Amino acid sequence: MKVINLLFTTVLFASCVTTRSGYVATTGGGRIYYEERGKGEPLLLLHGHSLDRRMWNQQWKPLSRQYRTIRLDFRGYGRSSEQREDLQMTHADDVLTLMDSLRLTKAHVVGLSMGAFVAGDLLAMHPERLLSCTMASGGIRNSRGPSEPMDSAESARRDKEIEALKEKGIDKMKEEWINTLMASGGSQRERMRQPLTQMIADWTAWQPLHKEVRLFYGREAWQQLTSQENTTPTLLLRGANDVKDKNSKPRELQYLKKGRYVVIPDCGHMLNMERPDDFNRILLDFLTDTAEPRY
């Protein structure tokens, strides 16, 4: 019995010290929640819209066996503070604030969907901070950046959209959104229904109910990427069911000296949740290939 109790205590202690968490202060009195696990080169996981850090549960332990793996909740999601209509900020700048607070000069960055928009901003605007960049189900966003704030016409359109959403109801909107994410999935899509439903149920839905500032550098980032040589090792990942034009490749590839494009069969937009084994294998192979030779 003493041996069993000792073993249990050891395992419990190990589990307590393995995952570390905290908050980092950012602009406008905001706070970013993060968790980290493992040792080695730092690797940041950036989640998608309406979700939070938990979408990376299937990657959390496998990646942390080789990397100092850090996942965060963007401002407006999960345990981080809400966004504000009166404060210009970008998610990419919040990620840099987190990196600076954790004293990370460089890191591998992995983002999916909205997280890929942020990863793309970092790739273009701050390539010197990246060891590598992985953009899954997304890339640099084709949208106005912070230098083009919302004008009166766009503000009026948003007023109408918000009013229409309130009439529909948030619960109905969330139900439709879950169905949209599930629809592109392949034969393994049901494995992600429960975690998606839980995260979206927990989501406050602040974003569709408010006038967001320019959260992504978007076209400003694209201009940066296309005007200079970028040598950051970059992986672009897509689910086969999410690729509309089977013969085309992501536009970012033509401006990346070390770009790689992989399509995972029989899955859709949320490929890391739907096909975690394939996602993890492809990602780890890519990260291994980017490692600097050691003599």
Side-chain angles (χ1 to χ4, degrees):
M1 181 62 70
K2 289 183 178 180
V3 173
I4 295 175
N5 287 339
L6 179 61
L7 179 61
F8 176 77
T9 302
T10 302
V11 171
L12 181 62
F13 176 76
S15 66
C16 290
V17 298
T18 298
T19 298
R20 303 166 294 280
S21 63
Y23 287 89
V24 166
T26 189
T27 55
R31 296 199 310 167
I32 299 297
Y33 176 77
Y34 73 94
E35 297 174 346
E36 64 173 301
R37 178 189 179 101
K39 296 180 180 180
E41 292 181 333
L43 185 154
L44 300 175
L45 297 171
L46 311 180
H47 67 79
H49 169 63
S50 77
L51 309 176
D52 57 54
R53 70 198 179 282
R54 292 173 293 175
M55 67 163 276
W56 299 109
N57 280 351
Q58 297 295 322
Q59 286 71 50
W60 188 227
K61 291 183 180 179
L63 292 177
S64 66
R65 295 188 187 106
Q66 300 181 46
Y67 298 92
R68 180 185 174 187
T69 305
I70 301 159
R71 59 182 181 179
L72 63 139
D73 290 335
F74 286 123
R75 207 182 320 197
Y77 302 88
R79 295 181 180 178
S80 293
S81 58
E82 289 287 20
Q83 297 165 219
R84 285 169 41 183
E85 292 184 339
D86 64 339
L87 176 71
Q88 176 56 55
M89 44 81 63
T90 68
H91 290 314
D93 289 333
D94 276 353
V95 171
L96 292 175
T97 297
L98 175 65
M99 289 178 65
D100 291 342
S101 298
L102 297 179
R103 299 181 180 179
L104 306 179
T105 304
K106 292 187 174 186
H108 299 283
V109 172
V110 180
L112 185 142
S113 195
M114 184 182 78
F117 301 157
V118 181
D121 280 352
L122 292 167
L123 174 68
M125 307 295 285
H126 297 281
E128 75 283 354
R129 302 300 300 269
L130 303 189
L131 292 169
S132 74
C133 180
T134 298
M135 295 180 284
S137 299
I140 295 177
R141 186 179 170 94
N142 184 22
S143 60
R144 295 176 181 175
S147 66
E148 299 181 79
M150 184 180 296
D151 57 23
S152 58
E154 184 179 358
S155 178
R157 286 197 301 271
R158 283 296 295 137
D159 284 336
K160 292 181 179 179
E161 291 167 354
I162 291 169
E163 188 60 32
L165 177 57
K166 288 179 178 178
E167 290 182 10
K168 174 191 286 188
I170 293 299
D171 289 342
K172 181 64 176 176
M173 180 272 291
K174 287 185 175 184
E175 179 184 348
E176 291 174 355
W177 179 233
I178 292 169
N179 291 336
T180 297
L181 291 177
M182 291 292 298
S184 72
S187 61
Q188 300 299 312
R189 65 184 178 183
E190 284 303 319
R191 71 188 303 164
M192 63 185 183
R193 183 181 296 277
Q194 191 279 328
L196 280 177
T197 301
Q198 184 62 63
M199 283 185 282
I200 293 172
D202 294 342
W203 172 46
T204 64
W206 187 96
Q207 295 77 16
L209 290 170
H210 292 80
K211 297 176 184 178
E212 290 187 292
V213 296
R214 305 296 192 213
L215 296 168
F216 311 100
Y217 283 98
R219 294 172 190 166
E220 296 173 32
W222 183 252
Q223 184 176 14
Q224 281 291 107
L225 182 71
T226 58
S227 63
Q228 60 191 9
E229 181 178 76
N230 194 302
T231 60
T232 305
T234 303
L235 172 65
L236 295 110
L237 270 174
R238 300 288 186 272
N241 297 355
D242 207 35
V243 178
K244 296 178 181 178
D245 186 345
K246 307 298 182 183
N247 296 318
S248 68
K249 294 182 178 180
R251 60 178 184 156
E252 292 86 354
L253 274 181
Q254 61 185 309
Y255 300 102
L256 298 168
K257 287 197 70 175
K258 298 181 180 178
R260 183 183 303 183
Y261 178 46
V262 178
V263 176
I264 300 179
D266 189 28
C267 70
H269 194 71
M270 301 303 302
L271 45 92
N272 76 302
M273 298 178 66
E274 186 180 358
R275 290 281 181 179
D277 292 341
D278 291 333
F279 181 92
N280 295 349
R281 172 181 50 80
I282 294 167
L283 176 59
L284 286 168
D285 286 348
F286 166 71
L287 294 173
T288 298
D289 289 345
T290 68
E292 293 287 338
R294 297 182 180 181
Y295 301 99

